[in-house]
Amino acid sequence: MQTPCNKEEGSGMQPSSSSSRRPKGTGRKKIEIKKIENKFSRKVTFTKRRKGLFKKTEKFCQLTDAEIAIIVFSNKGRLFSYGYPSVEHVVNRFLDEQCDDQSDPFSPEEVLEEEEEEEPLVGGGEEGYWFEESIDDLDSDQFEEYLCYLECLRKNLVLRVGELIMRRTSEIDFLKGFGN
Amino acid sequence: MQTPCNKEEGSGMQPSSSSSRRPKGTGRKKIEIKKIENKFSRKVTFTKRRKGLFKKTEKFCQLTDAEIAIIVFSNKGRLFSYGYPSVEHVVNRFLDEQCDDQSDPFSPEEVLEEEEEEEPLVGGGEEGYWFEESIDDLDSDQFEEYLCYLECLRKNLVLRVGELIMRRTSEIDFLKGFGN
DNA sequence: GTCTATCGATAAGT
DNA sequence: ACTTATCGATAGAC
């Protein structure tokens, strides 16, 4: 098996040497996939690749209609994110899934040869919780359910994170404005 | 300005017609970036592109030392995720940031010419909340504080989601440099 | 899954 | 920031 393009690392193709219409001699080179030590180069690469990554992410979900969230923190603590239908929706679903997993040690439902629904219908119902209401307006049953829901959210963060430590919230959060 | 490769849509390059060593005649074609209607094709594309996307994501954080989380739900609800240093860590940081944002409408500290710290030092100590305790053991002050904390978590998920849920198409804000 | 031609992303250079 | 050669990802066919 021989591929025309070298897999990941490895090289050895000269530009066809002599007669080229554009001997400008610049062009992409192969790079090692390890932390770029030069700070400026790293920033340039961060910018270029972040752009490319987010673009690819968008195309991916447009083509496949998948739900996606991508969250990036630069070295300096700047936040970049993209999500379909929204970062929060996907994060929420992710957390819910974690929550369900732990609530039900065994899966209660069989995975049947599922027909995928054509449209996720995100904009539809999904009232789920009483987001708009005040806690004070809830009766005791609702309040209990509410507590349960919040507790579920909390567990998501806690369970796996446990030893990961709630890192000290930070020295760098406030840098988000500028300073890049 | 003329680029050698057509930007996004648009085409018109024939394979150099006559003498080719491999007239096998297959090769990548350009496709429209819209939902692939054929279910099988969509699944194939999902698989291929998800693989590529995750690979690129991994290279990205290895090169730039950024923290990242990517979460994908397929049409059938299957979860795929990747994170550095972990999905949970980044999600947690994301939620914290949202939380801090709303708690402090104005920034209390000045942004000084920051030197980026070399290592994030994730493993520091922090007891933060009483994760191990039962709710029942809390006194009323603690309980109130606990409620407040949970409420904060909830808000993260809710605040921005509201009208976002209605939104269908993802526009490309992120190309300008600020995600979300 | 594998293969190949081609498209799309990007390292260097300017 | 813009350009260009080249690398890396992948659509279509097996």
Side-chain angles (χ1 to χ4, degrees):
Chain A
M1 164 186 178
Q2 43 105 350
T3 44
C5 103
N6 307 308
K7 235 18 188 277
E8 186 47 55
E9 296 323 318
S11 64
M13 297 185 89
Q14 281 91 349
S16 55
S17 60
S18 49
S19 60
S20 187
R21 207 155 66 97
R22 292 188 185 102
K24 282 259 189 178
T26 46
R28 185 177 179 174
K29 305 281 175 57
K30 197 166 299 191
I31 60 167
E32 255 193 299
I33 305 300
K34 59 181 350 179
K35 178 175 175 179
I36 297 169
E37 292 304 330
N38 180 278
K39 193 172 168 177
F40 179 68
S41 299
R42 188 165 67 243
K43 179 171 173 27
V44 172
T45 293
F46 178 85
T47 302
K48 284 183 177 181
R49 287 189 175 242
R50 182 183 57 76
K51 188 180 163 189
L53 186 59
F54 276 54
K55 193 168 169 187
K56 188 171 282 276
T57 300
E58 190 190 19
K59 286 184 187 174
F60 173 72
C61 65
Q62 287 175 334
L63 286 167
T64 67
D65 201 42
E67 294 191 355
I68 197 163
I70 182 168
I71 301 169
V72 172
F73 284 98
S74 75
N75 269 328
K76 296 184 202 147
R78 281 190 62 190
L79 167 64
F80 302 88
S81 65
Y82 170 77
Y84 174 81
S86 76
V87 183
E88 290 79 5
H89 172 82
V90 179
V91 166
N92 198 18
R93 188 172 173 185
F94 175 76
L95 295 174
D96 274 350
E97 179 135 328
Q98 309 272 89
C99 192
D100 290 345
D101 281 348
Q102 69 171 14
S103 297
D104 305 352
F106 34 15
S107 48
E109 317 228 17
E110 192 65 10
V111 178
L112 54 156
E113 194 65 8
E114 73 289 275
E115 264 310 297
E116 67 179 320
E117 64 279 53
E118 267 303 304
E119 290 298 322
L121 213 285
V122 185
E126 186 141 317
E127 9 76 70
Y129 305 95
W130 347 263
F131 287 158
E132 308 311 327
E133 303 178 35
S134 161
I135 303 180
D136 304 320
D137 298 332
L138 303 175
D139 62 34
S140 63
D141 277 4
Q142 286 178 316
F143 185 68
E144 186 165 13
E145 191 183 349
Y146 178 64
L147 260 187
C148 183
Y149 164 60
L150 292 181
E151 183 60 16
C152 176
L153 288 185
R154 189 188 65 86
K155 281 181 183 168
N156 300 319
L157 294 173
V158 174
L159 268 191
R160 309 257 204 107
V161 178
E163 81 293 337
L164 230 176
I165 293 113
M166 287 289 287
R167 66 150 217 290
R168 84 214 81 223
T169 33
S170 348
E171 48 269 353
I172 29 183
D173 288 350
F174 56 82
L175 295 179
K176 67 198 88 184
F178 297 93
N180 132 330
Chain B
M1 161 186 180
Q2 43 107 349
T3 44
C5 104
N6 306 308
K7 236 12 187 273
E8 185 48 57
E9 298 319 320
S11 64
M13 300 185 89
Q14 281 92 346
S16 55
S17 59
S18 49
S19 61
S20 187
R21 205 155 68 95
R22 291 188 185 102
K24 281 259 191 180
T26 44
R28 184 176 180 175
K29 306 282 173 55
K30 198 167 298 193
I31 60 167
E32 255 192 300
I33 305 301
K34 60 180 351 178
K35 178 175 176 180
I36 297 170
E37 292 303 332
N38 180 276
K39 192 174 170 178
F40 180 69
S41 298
R42 189 166 66 241
K43 178 170 175 28
V44 171
T45 293
F46 177 84
T47 302
K48 285 183 174 179
R49 285 189 175 241
R50 180 182 59 76
K51 189 179 163 190
L53 187 59
F54 276 55
K55 193 170 170 185
K56 186 169 283 274
T57 300
E58 190 185 16
K59 287 184 185 174
F60 174 71
C61 63
Q62 286 174 336
L63 286 167
T64 66
D65 200 41
E67 295 191 354
I68 196 163
I70 182 168
I71 301 171
V72 172
F73 283 98
S74 73
N75 269 327
K76 296 187 209 151
R78 283 188 62 188
L79 168 64
F80 302 88
S81 65
Y82 170 78
Y84 173 80
S86 75
V87 183
E88 291 79 6
H89 171 81
V90 179
V91 166
N92 197 20
R93 189 173 175 184
F94 174 77
L95 295 174
D96 274 351
E97 179 135 329
Q98 308 272 91
C99 192
D100 290 346
D101 279 350
Q102 67 173 18
S103 297
D104 302 355
F106 36 17
S107 50
E109 319 228 17
E110 192 65 10
V111 178
L112 56 157
E113 193 67 8
E114 78 285 326
E115 263 310 293
E116 69 178 320
E117 66 278 54
E118 265 303 304
E119 290 299 321
L121 211 285
V122 186
E126 183 66 25
E127 12 72 71
Y129 301 96
W130 348 263
F131 287 156
E132 307 311 328
E133 303 179 34
S134 161
I135 303 179
D136 304 321
D137 298 333
L138 303 175
D139 62 34
S140 63
D141 277 5
Q142 285 178 315
F143 185 69
E144 186 165 13
E145 192 184 346
Y146 177 64
L147 261 187
C148 184
Y149 163 59
L150 292 181
E151 182 62 17
C152 176
L153 287 186
R154 189 187 68 82
K155 280 181 182 168
N156 297 319
L157 295 173
V158 175
L159 261 193
R160 310 247 203 121
V161 179
E163 84 290 340
L164 270 178
I165 287 185
M166 312 281 266
R167 178 177 87 175
R168 301 247 35 169
T169 46
S170 36
E171 285 310 316
I172 345 177
D173 300 344
F174 59 81
L175 289 180
K176 297 184 220 153
F178 34 82
N180 178 286

